[in-house]
Amino acid sequence: MRQRLCILGSTGSIGTNTLDVAARHPDRFEVVALSAHSRVDDLLAQCRQWRPRWAAMSDVDAAQRLAVAVRAEGLPTEVLAGPQALVALAGHDDVDSVMAAVVGAAGLPACMAAARAGKRLLLANKEALVVGGAQFIAAVREGGAQLLPIDSEHSAIFQCLPEDRSTWAQRIDHIVLTASGGPFRQADPLSLRDVTPEQACAHPNWVMGRKISVDSATMMNKALEVIEARWLFDLAPSQVKVVIHPQSIIHSMVICRDQSVLAQLGTPDMRVPIAYGLSFPERIASGASALDFLGLKSLTFEAPERARFPGLFLAWEALEGPHGSTAVLNAANEEAVAAFLSRRLRFTDIHDVVARTLELEVPRLSLSLDVPVEALLALDEQARRRAREIIARLN
């Protein structure tokens, strides 16, 4: 039987790459549900090509426009509206696998629904773990879901480890997440004050959405990945390390207890981890180019500098802080990046907003490890309000 796919965030970079891989294997995959936030034209084009049973848009007005267009073209797709539509699709009985590629904390409820329903959950939404943490992992275990990481770094670690998770703790000394360093790896930190959104989004190696491109430029994406890795692989924060690897050929490494190093290499193409997640434990063609070893001039590594990438180092501070600290970090970063992309905030102020929000909100935290997800989402909104206040004062 073909695997029935629900792709949440289908018009973004991960979503379109997932559809590209699925199109190469029509005998293995059936796309039954697609979702987007507000990009009506892009989702309509996907509905024409894939003719899914459902298409959901979290923006209600956009969903209404899509529904009119779908009816006008006689497509067999039912259009659903609002954030709850994503939750309903993620846990639907007629869905086998969920690609969770919604950007930000907004993707957490749908990820939780997929976990509780025991789906094969392809996790490209790192914020589900950054915000949800222990609660999200508990939902995966209780629902019997199969959690497969899609971020290239976490997929690399996963590919280096045996299928039997019970052996991981006795094998791992620590892991090393690689980072490209983004477009400002060699820039003078003093020159970053007047960086534009266009410059920040011009990643040297990867084609990504605007938000994650900015996160890569600040290396806040790596901070979020440190937090994600802590939960995915059940590691102490000190067991997660980061090194800059500008070529983006080694996607991450496992340092074993005997000091052997296991690494996953490949061209920088997100279709590789996507294909692995879709086909696990098998491997299928991804469409990515083969790695040309003879064409590699060098593989180099650098330590990340706090002066250039101060946001990265907040990851370990948040992990060592009271429960909920990582949710505050993520919420503040999302608000700061949105303000930068809309030209309401300087690039160098992104870190200041996140750091100040943590300073003001973390001392007030008193959440237990088993609080409901609704409490974490309320904390997320509280931190956003605080971040918006700080942004307003900086303008």
Side-chain angles (χ1 to χ4, degrees), residues 82-159:
Q84 283 303 117
L86 277 62
V87 172
L89 290 177
H92 201 285
D93 289 343
D94 291 338
V95 167
D96 301 315
S97 300
V98 176
M99 171 58 79
V102 175
V103 176
L108 176 58
C111 288
M112 291 291 292
R116 289 168 174 156
K119 305 300 182 185
R120 170 178 286 216
L121 178 52
L122 311 176
L123 190 67
N125 175 264
K126 59 177 65 69
E127 293 86 357
L129 278 165
V130 173
V131 178
Q135 288 89 331
F136 180 65
I137 291 298
V140 169
R141 290 172 179 162
E142 292 165 8
Q146 186 177 41
L147 181 61
L148 299 168
I150 299 301
D151 277 347
S152 60
E153 297 82 2
H154 303 89
S155 176
I157 299 296
F158 186 74
Q159 291 182 55

Side-chain angles (χ1 to χ4, degrees), residues 15-95:
T16 55
N17 276 311
T18 302
L19 289 171
D20 181 271
V21 174
R24 297 171 188 275
H25 304 277
D27 58 320
R28 298 183 66 117
F29 305 111
E30 176 188 3
V31 177
V32 297
L34 299 171
S35 90
H37 175 58
S38 59
R39 294 163 66 173
V40 174
D41 291 343
D42 290 344
L43 190 53
L44 178 61
Q46 291 178 346
C47 289
R48 291 191 192 109
Q49 178 180 357
W50 292 94
R51 302 176 75 82
R53 287 177 59 182
W54 302 284
M57 303 204 79
S58 51
D59 183 287
V60 175
D61 292 338
Q64 292 174 344
R65 296 197 301 275
L66 179 65
V68 171
V70 163
R71 285 196 298 271
E73 296 193 21
L75 298 175
T77 301
E78 178 184 355
V79 177
L80 307 177
Q84 283 303 117
L86 277 62
V87 172
L89 290 177
H92 201 285
D93 289 343
D94 291 338
V95 167

Side-chain angles (χ1 to χ4, degrees), residues 6 22 42 52 78 112 189 217 231 254 277 328 340 349 357 374 377:
C6 168
D42 290 344
E78 178 184 355
M112 291 291 292
W231 291 108
V254 176
V328 172
F340 168 70
D349 285 339
T357 304
E374 290 75 15
L377 292 175

Side-chain angles (χ1 to χ4, degrees), residues 181-240:
F184 308 128
R185 178 176 63 87
Q186 295 180 312
D188 182 341
L190 297 177
S191 71
L192 300 180
R193 185 172 183 271
D194 296 320
V195 161
T196 67
E198 291 74 22
Q199 291 170 321
C201 290
H203 196 280
N205 298 341
W206 298 93
V207 177
M208 304 181 292
R210 283 165 61 80
K211 195 269 182 181
I212 193 172
S213 293
V214 175
D215 282 346
S216 181
T218 63
M219 275 188 70
M220 182 57 77
N221 73 315
K222 208 56 53 178
L224 300 179
E225 288 169 11
V226 167
I227 298 165
E228 182 182 8
R230 176 265 178 271
W231 291 108
L232 274 173
F233 305 110
D234 193 21
L235 299 171
S238 61
Q239 288 180 283
V240 186

